[in-house]
């Protein structure tokens, strides 16, 4: 019988042998689900301990007949691994079975937090009525650099401490309170965050306010549910270089200065179709993006209609980005309405460095598309190299 010391020595000898004979073995196995990595042990007896030395673990309940079998496999892997060996990456997808037990998942998460976890990916398939509650130990795990959470509840917390976290993805997350201030408190614990994705986070209130905590932010993608009664505050992501935001209601707060932004995509949800002044608001956005090079506006075509005279007047001062920076502009869901056309004409006329103006029309008759193209083709262009693309 092997003592823990002798097992550890044998494990280390196997690792050394494997690196010499198969230098890419660890790299290849690290991309496989843990169940498949374990299956490689049949290749050779000397490979038996190899998969147990991987620093990345990936468990998916869908690869097992039920949760009981799944939990047994996860526990077995955890017990067979040397307790001194760190776990750098941990992906867990489960919760779809009727025999799902959240206490087991809590134990799995506590175990990896204690082993220096850097990349944590949790995807729980439980119904919202019994949504899994994130263990508090995760919120103060100061070794994390990547955190991806899907279909979880985040309960009351007194502290969030992610000093190294660079990537944060929140998908279908419910906070214990539906007020946006709790999401803001959560983000305050991420001082070096670079990549932020928020999708379908349920919040019901709406408030304006400053938040300058995400000073290192590079990319932000904010896609919210149509049923949520709030817009993500632009001031929270004002330092981003790449920004994609979906708006489900008129934006009622002051637009901050985006001094680093080069790529912007704004998706107007169907609930903004009656937003009078939407295109004038877009010029305000442009005025606050002096380095903007690529602009995409995507309009939801469902239930759209002309909302009358938008009282369009060209701004007296042309935004800096139009004078010298903007290279591409894409209008997706274009229907040729008066306010849309006026905005497109304004861009074509004032964007001095524009290379491509791309118009993607909604499902309309070909003859109507041709009329749209002819009308836009007659617009004066501020850039001699601008190409008008229409599909």
């Amino acid at each position: 019988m092997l003592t823990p010391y002798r097992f550890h020595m044998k494990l280390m000898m196997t690792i050394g042998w494997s690196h010499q004979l198969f230098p890419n073995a660890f790299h290849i196995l690290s991309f496989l689900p843990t169940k498949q990595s374990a299956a490689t042990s049949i290749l050779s007896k000397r490979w038996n301990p190899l998969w147990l030395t991987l620093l990345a673990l990936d468990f998916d309940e869908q690869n097992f007949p039920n949760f009981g079998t799944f939990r047994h496999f996860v526990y077995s892997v955890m017990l067979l691994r040397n307790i001194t060996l760190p776990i750098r990456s941990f992906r867990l997808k489960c919760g779809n079975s009727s025999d799902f037990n959240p206490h087991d998942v809590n134990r799995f998460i506590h175990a990896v937090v204690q082993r220096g976890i850097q990349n944590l990916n949790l995807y729980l398939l439980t119904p919202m009525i019994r949504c899994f509650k994130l263990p508090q130990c995760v919120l103060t795990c100061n070794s994390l650099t990547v955190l991806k959470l899907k279909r979880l509840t985040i309960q009351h917390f007194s502290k969030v401490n992610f000093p190294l976290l660079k990537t944060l993805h929140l998908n279908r997350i419910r906070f214990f309170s539906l007020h946006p201030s709790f999401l803001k408190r959560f983000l305050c614990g991420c001082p070096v965050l670079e990549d932020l994705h928020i999708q379908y986070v349920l919040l019901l209130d709406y408030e304006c306010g400053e938040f300058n905590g995400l000073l290192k932010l590079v990319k932000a993608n904010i896609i919210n549910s149509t049923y949520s009664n709030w817009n993500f505050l632009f001031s929270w992501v004002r330092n981003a270089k790449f920004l994609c935001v979906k708006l489900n209601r008129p934006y009622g707060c002051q637009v901050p200065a985006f001094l680093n932004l080069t790529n912007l995509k704004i998706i107007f949800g169907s609930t903004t179709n009656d937003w009078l002044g939407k295109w004038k608001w877009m010029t305000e956005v442009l005025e606050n993006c002096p380095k903007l090079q690529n602009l995409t506006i995507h309009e939801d075509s469902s239930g759209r209609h002309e909302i009358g005279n938008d009282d369009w007047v060209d701004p007296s001062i042309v935004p800096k980005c139009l004078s010298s920076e903007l290279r591409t502009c894409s209008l997706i869901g274009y229907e040729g309405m008066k306010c849309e056309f006026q905005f497109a004409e304004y861009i074509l006329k004032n964007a001095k460095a524009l290379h491509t103006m791309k118009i993607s029309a909604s499902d309309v008759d070909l003859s109507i598309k041709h009329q749209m193209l002819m009308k836009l083709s007659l617009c004066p262009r501020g850039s001699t190299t601008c190409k008008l693309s229409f599909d």
Side-chain angles (χ1 to χ4, degrees):
M1 181 177 178
L2 287 177
T3 65
Y5 173 76
R6 293 186 65 187
F7 176 80
H8 179 69
M9 292 303 295
K10 183 178 180 180
L11 195 61
M12 294 302 103
M13 290 174 64
T14 303
I15 294 171
W17 171 82
S18 302
H19 271 303
Q20 292 177 14
L21 197 56
F22 302 103
N24 294 322
F26 281 91
H27 181 71
I28 294 171
L29 290 178
S30 66
F31 288 98
L32 296 177
T34 302
K35 185 179 180 181
Q36 294 183 22
S37 299
T40 62
S41 61
I42 66 173
L43 298 175
S44 168
K45 289 184 178 180
R46 300 192 70 177
W47 276 64
N48 281 344
L50 180 59
W51 66 277
L52 290 171
T53 66
L54 295 174
L55 303 183
L57 299 178
D58 185 341
F59 299 106
D60 190 338
E61 184 191 353
Q62 293 181 334
N63 297 326
F64 296 82
N66 51 59
F67 184 77
T69 308
F70 173 73
R71 66 181 287 275
H72 177 74
F73 178 73
V74 178
Y75 276 125
S76 298
V77 172
M78 294 295 193
L79 292 173
L80 286 171
R81 288 175 58 90
N82 188 299
I83 196 170
T84 64
L85 197 64
I87 299 174
R88 298 304 186 206
S89 177
F90 185 78
R91 177 181 176 271
L92 183 69
K93 182 179 179 182
C94 62
N96 200 34
S97 302
S98 59
D99 58 341
F100 170 76
N101 189 337
H103 299 296
D104 292 312
V105 176
N106 272 317
R107 295 182 70 180
F108 302 155
I109 296 173
H110 276 87
V112 298
V113 166
Q114 293 171 2
R115 298 189 188 184
I117 187 68
Q118 295 177 353
N119 185 329
L120 182 59
N121 187 334
L122 302 176
Y123 180 4
L124 276 296
L125 298 168
T126 54
M128 291 302 290
I129 193 171
R130 55 186 181 94
C131 195
F132 178 78
K133 298 176 178 61
L134 185 71
Q136 292 287 312
C137 64
V138 174
L139 300 181
T140 54
C141 181
N142 56 21
S143 60
L144 280 173
T145 59
V146 176
L147 178 61
K148 298 180 180 180
L149 305 175
K150 187 172 183 178
R151 292 178 65 110
L152 304 171
T153 293
I154 298 178
Q155 294 179 290
H156 176 77
F157 53 85
S158 58
K159 183 180 181 182
V160 174
N161 183 31
F162 296 130
L164 304 179
L165 193 70
K166 293 189 175 182
T167 298
L168 175 64
H169 292 189
L170 301 176
N171 191 340
R172 291 174 169 82
I173 299 299
R174 294 186 66 177
F175 284 86
F176 72 96
S177 170
L178 300 181
H179 196 276
S181 62
F182 292 97
L183 174 58
K184 182 163 69 173
R185 283 176 54 195
F186 189 92
L187 296 177
C188 282
C190 313
V192 297
L193 194 66
E194 296 178 357
D195 181 358
L196 174 64
H197 283 225
I198 295 181
Q199 292 183 278
Y200 309 125
V201 173
L202 181 59
L203 296 171
L204 297 181
D205 269 322
Y206 186 80
E207 65 171 15
C208 297
E210 290 297 316
F211 172 53
N212 299 314
L214 303 180
L215 300 178
K216 303 291 184 180
L217 193 65
V218 176
K219 181 170 64 173
N221 191 326
I222 316 297
I223 306 297
N224 209 25
S225 168
T226 303
Y227 304 104
S228 191
N229 191 31
W230 73 292
N231 278 331
F232 192 86
L233 298 182
F234 278 24
S235 62
W236 295 8
V237 293
R238 64 191 307 167
N239 295 305
K241 294 181 180 179
F242 304 88
L243 177 60
C244 175
V245 176
K246 181 178 180 180
L247 298 178
N248 289 309
R249 56 180 291 176
Y251 192 80
C253 299
Q254 182 177 357
V255 178
F258 291 93
L259 301 181
N260 303 318
L261 193 64
T262 60
N263 292 264
L264 173 63
K265 180 176 182 178
I266 292 184
I267 303 170
F268 289 113
S270 59
T271 49
T272 66
N273 289 341
D274 293 329
W275 180 3
L276 189 67
K278 176 168 61 179
W279 296 101
K280 291 172 65 177
W281 176 82
M282 273 305 309
T283 64
E284 181 186 350
V285 173
L286 295 178
E287 290 169 3
N288 285 281
C289 303
K291 296 182 179 179
L292 189 66
Q293 297 180 8
N294 303 290
L295 172 65
T296 298
I297 300 174
H298 188 166
E299 289 193 276
D300 189 328
S301 59
S302 59
R304 288 172 58 197
H305 55 274
E306 190 72 73
I307 56 176
N309 188 358
D310 204 15
D311 295 328
W312 173 274
V313 177
D314 282 3
S316 56
I317 300 176
V318 176
K320 182 181 178 181
C321 66
L322 293 186
S323 300
S324 59
E325 300 294 333
L326 194 68
R327 300 293 188 269
T328 67
C329 179
S330 299
L331 302 182
I332 303 173
Y334 184 84
E335 293 188 350
M337 294 182 183
K338 181 180 178 182
C339 49
E340 290 178 307
F341 171 76
Q342 289 174 326
F343 181 81
E345 181 183 38
Y346 173 73
I347 296 293
L348 285 168
K349 180 171 61 177
N350 291 287
K352 307 297 183 184
L354 193 65
H355 293 164
T356 304
M357 182 73 167
K358 183 177 180 180
I359 308 294
S360 295
S362 301
D363 296 330
V364 296
D365 185 84
L366 286 177
S367 61
I368 297 178
K369 282 189 177 182
H370 179 71
Q371 294 175 18
M372 292 180 185
L373 175 60
M374 293 302 297
K375 189 174 182 180
L376 287 167
S377 299
L378 297 175
C379 293
R381 302 184 195 181
S383 170
T384 57
T385 61
C386 176
K387 293 182 179 180
L388 181 61
S389 171
F390 199 94
D391 60 22

